[in-house]
Amino acid sequence: MTITVKFEPKEQFKIGEVEAKEFHVTGVGFIQFAKMGTIAAKAAATDNDVQKNLFRERLKRQVAVEMADGSTARLTDDTIPRLPIKAALRLKQALNDVSEETTGGTPKISIDGDGISKAVMMTLGTPLSTGDGKNITDLEFIAETLADLEDAVIADNKIDQAIAIMNIAKPASGDVNLLRLPSWALDQITMTDGLFIMTRIAPRFLEVSPAS
């Protein structure tokens, strides 16, 4: 999905010597959003800085600027501060809207295992395209030893844990013959499906039972 943000009549914004015509805001997948969050956090001294940095990262990565001469440009750390304030507010709203928008369905658990003694399987809300006319609609998760899931065990936040869990996911639909999801498939996982994995799949592996 792409949301177009236009300028109001009195607003002006140039990149170099060329006038900007309008903005095109596109969505990102769960992993790309997580990477932007990591970049924002590393460069921040306070929580407020994290939010400001994340907003800038999203502007740089999710917004294409259509220029008056027909070319396309990207926003940068130098040009972002010069955005008209009302345009910046409309861009913020568009970024929120494109994150919430989904053309897929609702993900669900199709096999309710614990992920260790029995695989847990989910049906994706948005299937992953293999590029050859096939789709991955279901993912299977199972891990028995630390070697299978060490990255998730040592992760110190839920987003990194979820990404580590995604890395053990096995396509379990159609005739797609893959032992693990490759990077091109991981990058297609939507925010909705990523959050489902984070909240409904990952805890099955990482919750600690009380000692007897």
Side-chain angles (χ1 to χ4, degrees):
M1 176 188 178
T2 300
I3 296 175
T4 298
V5 176
K6 296 182 178 295
F7 287 100
E8 293 180 350
K10 293 184 179 180
E11 291 176 336
Q12 289 187 330
F13 178 65
K14 289 185 176 181
I15 295 180
E17 299 300 319
V18 183
E19 195 77 29
K21 180 182 177 182
E22 61 190 23
F23 304 104
H24 301 287
V25 183
T26 56
V28 294
F30 181 85
I31 289 181
Q32 189 174 352
F33 185 85
K35 288 178 179 178
M36 288 190 285
T38 299
I39 293 170
K42 285 183 177 179
T46 67
D47 289 344
N48 184 63
D49 288 339
V50 173
Q51 295 303 315
K52 181 175 72 174
N53 293 345
L54 181 57
F55 181 47
R56 286 197 172 205
E57 286 299 318
R58 297 191 71 188
L59 287 173
K60 288 186 285 186
R61 294 168 183 258
Q62 292 182 246
V63 178
V65 189
E66 183 178 338
M67 308 301 291
D69 64 1
S71 64
T72 300
R74 309 297 297 195
L75 294 171
T76 66
D77 286 327
D78 292 329
T79 57
I80 287 172
R82 296 192 286 103
L83 285 168
I85 184 62
K86 294 294 186 180
L89 290 171
R90 294 196 299 278
L91 283 172
K92 179 183 177 183
Q93 184 60 53
L95 287 168
N96 290 338
D97 291 343
V98 81
S99 294
E100 294 171 0
E101 182 68 21
T102 177
T103 56
T106 301
K108 62 182 181 180
I109 299 291
S110 51
I111 295 180
D112 198 12
D114 60 9
I116 298 172
S117 62
K118 178 184 177 182
V120 56
M121 189 181 296
M122 71 173 286
T123 299
L124 293 161
T126 303
L128 311 178
S129 172
T130 64
D132 57 0
K134 301 174 184 177
N135 288 317
I136 299 169
T137 59
D138 296 88
L139 299 179
E140 178 185 276
F141 303 82
I142 189 164
E144 298 178 348
T145 67
L146 179 61
D148 295 327
L149 211 60
E150 190 167 5
D151 288 344
V153 171
I154 65 172
D156 58 5
N157 63 75
K158 291 184 178 180
I159 291 177
D160 287 343
Q161 289 172 349
I163 292 173
I165 295 293
M166 292 176 195
N167 280 306
I168 69 162
K170 178 182 178 181
S173 57
D175 55 356
V176 179
N177 187 23
L178 295 170
L179 295 178
R180 292 285 186 269
L181 286 180
S183 59
W184 54 260
L186 291 168
D187 287 341
Q188 292 182 51
I189 294 176
T190 64
M191 290 291 292
T192 299
D193 286 328
L195 290 171
F196 186 88
I197 292 170
M198 184 174 75
T199 58
R200 298 289 304 280
I201 304 292
R204 296 167 187 255
F205 295 93
L206 300 171
E207 288 178 348
V208 179
S209 302
S212 56

